[in-house]
Amino acid sequence: MNNAFLEIEQLINNSLAELNISSTDYLIERPFDSANGDYACNVAMKLFPSAKSIASSPKELAEKISNIIKKSISKNISKVEVAGPGFINFYLSNDFFVKNMFDVRDLNGFKLSDKKISLEHTQINPNKEPHIGHLRNACIGDSLSKILSFVGNDVTVQYYQNDVGQQIASIVLAYNKQFIPFKDVSLENCKAVLEWASRAYVDIEKRMESSTELKSEKEEIQRRIVAQNSEDSKIAISITDAILKATLVLFGHLSIEYDLVVKESDIIKNKLWEATFDLLKASPAFYKSTKGGRVGCWLVKMPMSDDKVIVRSNGIPTYTGNDIAYHLWKFGVIKDFKYEVLDWGTQDSLLYATDSDNGETLNNVFNSAESIVNIIDTTQTYPQEGVKEALRVLGYSKYADNYHHVNYGFVFLKDANSESSVVKMSGRKGTVVTISTFIETLRDSLLNQFGSFSAIDEVVFGAIKFELLKYDTYQDITFDISSALDQKGFSGPYVQYTYARAQSVMSKGDIGTSSDYGGAESYSFGLNEFELEILKLLFRFEDIIFRSANESAPHYICKYLFDLSKSFNAFYNSCKIIGSEQEEFRLDLTLSTSIVLSRCMKLIGISSPDSLK
């Protein structure tokens, strides 16, 4: 928490003590409109009912509190006033904002919390090329992992690989039938495997719509894959590993990295469900139905809805059952996997994968989470809530309280020639815009506008990530390429352009990245509106990061980047920097702005190129 907040809190508490009022039941908040102060407090309205002996109204009580506060304020606070029905508004001084300009450079991480967090994102079935909807998932997850780490947490990022599901049986069937010929399945040929699988999956799904024979073959293949003791299971492993590698290569190019790949086949081998089943049977809320349409099913009693089936009558666990097992593993309730290093060269950092056959023990590195964050689309909101509530009913309330689902809406692509949008992404129907195609489309658009330049990939990736992150996660979005590449709008390129401009100014001013011309005390002149606006935005940096972390909302950082960029460009266009009487201060202001821009861009996963030429 910043020093200004702590000082205001102490001033309020001291005034309450002087008035013989003992309470901490009040809020100190940042007003939406800065005309209402830099901080506002509702203490008088909160405490008035118990303080009627010393004031006839909340506003009178606020006046008494503020009069005491005014006697003790430091030079950090320029004004204290009462507003409305009894708010106390605090206005920070210019001296404070200038001092903060230096302090903000050292804020390379906070201590908001120190939990061990397991964050899972992407979760693409390894049978087709990733599309732009998957990319939104990955961008949200990657950004949140950075934000949560920045505020003090120990975050491990997991990628769940469904390598034994129905979709895998379909792609193995397609391989066996060779309707679309392809035999060269290998890690070295992973890109070709991915491209073939995308076409073959759509083809085999269409064929099965009119062929009961193919459907029966698929069901038999599915049984053999789950049993993991057949030629089909070996083919499934070869195909899914090759597709996984190609997918990780793609995300590696986008600087999206993971710590662990969890394979569903290893969940089966490790008997997570069997261990979970034994735990559940010890709970009085878990029972086997003996009547009605659910005879033979195992259910969990749900207090606010129908009891939920966890095990079907054929003994196979439902999605909820499997997910309970998986998340009890994440929390360390069930025995751990063994692991191998996945040395595929897809990312710079170390990547592990579960390996129940030949792996090594890592002593609960990945399965001792205190909190879980899952990035899963809005269609999975109900199942996710079901898992969470089932955990609570079964006696795992602590884990349910620390189980967080971050949902996100669908991505559509705006048609440049009309107002319509593409249909919802569907790999089965083949109605997708793949990430690779999408990246090439944006790159071609930039080439057509500006020709080739050294930072073109950084701008393309920055445009994509910023556009996918600048909205509330729960919203469906229509991706507009022209908007995403707008160098004067609410976009990644605009922010990158602003950072490059700041770097150019510092280069001309011949300062590095740690300049300090003597600190705030050396700047005694008045501040103009452009300088003060930047200083106030720099002060909001900490609040924006805290809010983004607390609400799992990267879009706050995107909006902050845009506001800070707009303010800096207005300052740049209106105020002479190099050669002015205030050159030292304005260079320092430019340096602080560039540091905060770079730090925030890093938190949403986009780079900060020194030049866009």
Side-chain angles (χ1 to χ4, degrees), residues 504-519:
S504 176
V505 170
M506 291 190 297
S507 177
K508 292 175 183 177
D510 195 26
I511 69 171
T513 58
S514 60
S515 172
D516 185 331
Y517 291 103

Side-chain angles (χ1 to χ4, degrees), residues 322-338:
N322 281 322
D323 229 23
I324 290 172
Y326 181 36
H327 288 88
L328 287 178
W329 165 77
K330 287 185 180 181
F331 282 119
V333 177
I334 299 174
K335 70 174 183 175
D336 199 5
F337 295 108
K338 291 184 178 180

Side-chain angles (χ1 to χ4, degrees), residues 254-295:
L254 290 158
S255 300
I256 296 173
E257 300 189 349
Y258 306 84
D259 297 305
L260 174 67
V261 174
V262 177
K263 298 184 178 183
E264 187 172 2
S265 57
D266 283 314
I267 290 177
I268 295 172
K269 291 176 185 177
N270 215 42
K271 299 188 181 299
L272 257 64
W273 167 246
E274 288 82 351
T276 300
F277 195 30
D278 289 340
L279 287 174
L280 298 184
K281 284 188 287 188
S283 169
F286 191 60
Y287 69 96
K288 188 174 184 179
S289 177
T290 58
K291 58 184 179 179
R294 294 177 168 182
V295 171

